Amino acid sequence: MTLTAPPPPAAPPEPARARRLLPAAGPRRTLAAFALGAVLLFAVAPLALTDFRLGLLAKYLCTAIVAVGVCLAWGRGGLLTLGQGVFFGLGGYAMAMHLKLADAGPGNLPDFMVLYGTTDTLPWWWVPFANPVFALAATVLLPMGVATLLGSLIFRRRVRGAYFALLSQALTAAFAIWLVGQQATTGGTNGLTDIQGFFGYALDDPANQRMVYFVIALVLLALIALARQLIHSRYGELLVAVRDSEERVRFLGYDPARVKLVVYVVAAGMAGLAGALFVPAVGIISPALIGIVPSIELVIGAAVGGRASLLGAVLGALAVAWAKTALSAEFPAAWTYFQGLLFVVVVAFLPGGLASLARTVRARLARRRTGADEDGAEQKEAAV
């Protein structure tokens, strides 16, 4: 009789959470994806689309930039940011104020101030925006500064979950109401409209509109690359750890408030930059574009595509923005209900969005095959 050593115990299966922290794609696959995206944005789209359709795509790409920040804050950090309209509006108004002053010329008031006739001098807080360097910096730093102030107050008090979402939404409503009430200095309900130039370039020229589109596309690709590096960094793993077990991270010596504050500020900066680029692409910024409903629409796009996937969030934002343009014209009364239903269905039945659909189907098929194999093994044992 020969004694044989028992087989070594099987390694425990890798936790699903750990698998999601690993890079989803290698360097070659990532570079190939970026190259494909660059070809589609810089070669295919300008050749295949008319100037009008290309302008719409530029508008959609601005919403995709916001979706990148939502993917970081919500998908990775668990922060349901329903108030991105605040930061989008801050960046948009900062850019629009400079462009309106440039259109008016040195020493002149913007046209809406002359129309309303409530002031003969430029408000003091408008004066710095005449400087293009200050205005460009403000489009990003102003939203990030406001996010730092708000985030410090919110996260230090450990406000999270639904309370954080509702608070961010309330701030968006308050900001939109304030803009409407300041008609003499912000244009009120109409906002800042009829923007003619963009740093010396006439926006009514199709060639300059294409230039604006190329700038927006380049910024989108750059922010996706930045977000990917952040996700797969040590900070990205710490952010996921805070999302999944905040108390455990605190016991390990980290401050969860600081971890969440960083991603909140980064997402705010991205939203502000998107708002700044939205102004030359569309030629207008108003409270109607940054209120509660637009803020929710920005989140819906990321949720539909997949809030934990950068590519899914971007494609979802583009798809929802396109559907709003295409379907709201045909079904103006039903589109809002359809949009809300889409959000509820995705969150309830497909939390990972469309980006997780293939993985979900494969997992269910694998479970069925495993169940079938187990049933077959039991039948063989019973027959023996």
Side-chain angles (χ1 to χ4, degrees):
M1 180 176 180
T2 304
L3 297 177
T4 58
E14 186 182 14
R17 187 73 65 189
R19 286 197 299 269
R20 284 200 290 271
L21 290 178
L22 297 177
R28 292 184 179 179
R29 186 177 176 183
T30 300
L31 290 176
F34 271 95
L36 177 60
V39 170
L40 291 175
L41 291 175
F42 292 99
V44 176
L47 293 176
L49 300 178
T50 63
D51 292 335
F52 174 74
R53 295 295 179 185
L54 196 66
L56 287 179
L57 180 57
K59 174 183 173 182
Y60 302 157
L61 292 181
C62 292
T63 65
I65 292 175
V66 182
V68 174
V70 172
C71 176
L72 288 174
W74 186 26
R76 308 298 295 187
L79 302 175
L80 180 53
T81 54
L82 295 180
Q84 291 303 91
V86 173
F87 311 119
F88 185 88
L90 287 172
Y93 270 88
M95 175 63 74
M97 288 165 66
H98 170 73
L99 297 183
K100 292 297 290 184
L101 290 174
D103 290 344
N108 297 323
L109 294 177
D111 52 3
F112 73 94
M113 292 186 183
V114 177
L115 177 64
Y116 297 143
T118 56
T119 180
D120 295 330
T121 58
L122 192 67
W124 65 268
W125 51 279
W126 270 72
V127 175
F129 290 93
N131 188 317
V133 177
F134 179 88
L136 284 174
T139 59
V140 178
L141 297 182
L142 183 58
M144 294 179 73
V146 173
T148 301
L149 177 61
L150 295 176
S152 299
L153 297 175
I154 293 172
F155 300 135
R156 290 298 176 189
R157 295 181 177 273
R158 301 187 183 182
V159 177
R160 54 188 175 184
Y163 299 101
F164 171 78
L166 292 176
L167 181 58
S168 63
Q169 191 176 67
L171 292 172
T172 302
F175 181 56
I177 293 172
W178 179 82
L179 289 173
V180 172
Q182 304 296 316
Q183 184 171 1
T185 54
T186 65
T189 306
N190 295 330
L192 303 181
T193 62
D194 194 27
I195 295 173
Q196 303 293 327
F198 182 64
F199 293 97
Y201 295 92
L203 290 177
D204 57 357
D205 187 344
N208 295 335
Q209 279 288 348
R210 285 181 170 246
M211 177 192 67
V212 171
Y213 163 79
F214 288 132
V215 170
I216 295 173
L218 181 62
V219 169
L220 174 61
L221 291 179
L223 291 181
I224 292 175
L226 175 63
R228 185 185 182 279
Q229 290 300 113
L230 193 62
I231 287 174
H232 296 295
S233 66
R234 183 181 180 86
Y235 169 77
E237 296 187 1
L238 182 60
L239 181 63
V240 174
V242 171
R243 179 195 67 188
D244 294 340
S245 183
E246 183 173 331
E247 294 301 325
R248 182 175 296 180
V249 172
R250 182 177 289 107
F251 292 151
L252 292 175
Y254 294 97
D255 186 0
R258 292 185 179 181
V259 177
K260 292 190 287 187
L261 179 62
V262 170
V263 74
Y264 185 56
V265 171
V266 170
M270 291 182 178
L273 185 56
L277 295 172
F278 181 88
V279 171
V282 181
I284 182 177
I285 187 73
S286 71
L289 298 171
I290 61 177
I292 292 178
V293 174
S295 297
I296 295 177
E297 290 175 350
L298 295 173
V299 173
I300 290 176
V304 170
R307 65 179 186 267
S309 167
L310 282 172
L311 181 59
V314 169
L315 294 180
L318 293 175
V320 170
W322 171 83
K324 179 182 178 181
T325 302
L327 299 180
S328 60
E330 297 292 334
F331 311 100
W335 163 246
T336 303
Y337 297 101
F338 173 75
Q339 194 176 43
L341 178 62
L342 181 64
F343 181 66
V344 172
V345 168
V346 168
V347 171
F349 300 102
L350 196 63
L354 296 178
S356 66
L357 182 60
R359 184 173 65 250
T360 303
V361 171
R362 286 198 300 267
R364 290 183 177 180
L365 291 177
R367 286 196 297 268
R368 288 183 180 180
R369 286 196 298 268
T370 303
D373 293 341
E374 292 177 354
D375 292 342
E378 291 178 357
Q379 292 176 0
K380 289 182 179 180
E381 291 179 359
V384 173

